[in-house]
């Protein structure tokens, strides 16, 4: 790809956020957690970058991937997911 992939989202309040990327077969590629109030878990606009590398540091293959998000705040849990592609 031509650089990092940026994921942007808004939170209504400080929240614990876990972002997971899997391939289309459900295999784990990358995972990061953000504490409530810290970068990635702040109220309002959040932007997280992924460098296109898996947890072993290798650049991922061209193809489709899935971003899974889990948000926890005040005992409430929400989830989201979206597909995206990596190309050369």
């Amino acid at each position: 790809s031509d650089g990092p992939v940026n994921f942007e989202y808004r939170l209504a309040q400080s929240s614990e956020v876990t972002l997971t990327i899997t391939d289309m077969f459900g295999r784990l590629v990358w995972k990061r957690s953000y504490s409530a109030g810290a970068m990635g878990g702040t109220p309002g606009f959040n932007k997280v970058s992924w460098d296109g590398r898996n947890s072993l540091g290798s650049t991922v293959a061209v193809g489709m991937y899935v971003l899974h998000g889990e948000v926890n705040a005040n005992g409430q849990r929400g989830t989201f997911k979206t597909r995206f592609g990596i190309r050369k």
Side-chain angles (χ1 to χ4, degrees):
S1 74
D2 292 334
V5 177
N6 294 312
F7 302 111
E8 301 173 351
Y9 53 93
R10 290 189 187 276
L11 298 172
Q13 58 192 354
S14 289
S15 306
E16 294 178 357
V17 177
T18 300
L19 300 177
T20 306
I21 297 173
T22 62
D23 64 17
M24 294 303 289
F25 299 102
R27 294 180 295 222
L28 179 65
V29 174
W30 178 87
K31 183 175 185 175
R32 292 289 183 278
S33 294
Y34 303 94
S35 299
M39 190 258 337
T42 59
F45 179 76
N46 288 267
K47 180 177 175 181
V48 174
S49 294
W50 173 54
D51 64 1
R53 297 181 183 278
N54 64 22
S55 57
L56 301 175
S58 301
T59 302
V60 300
V62 169
M64 294 297 296
Y65 294 86
V66 181
L67 172 69
H68 306 264
E70 182 177 321
V71 179
N72 292 289
N74 296 331
Q76 300 288 328
R77 177 178 174 266
T79 61
F80 63 89
K81 70 178 177 178
T82 189
R83 293 181 190 162
F84 66 96
I86 297 294
R87 59 189 174 101
K88 287 198 173 201

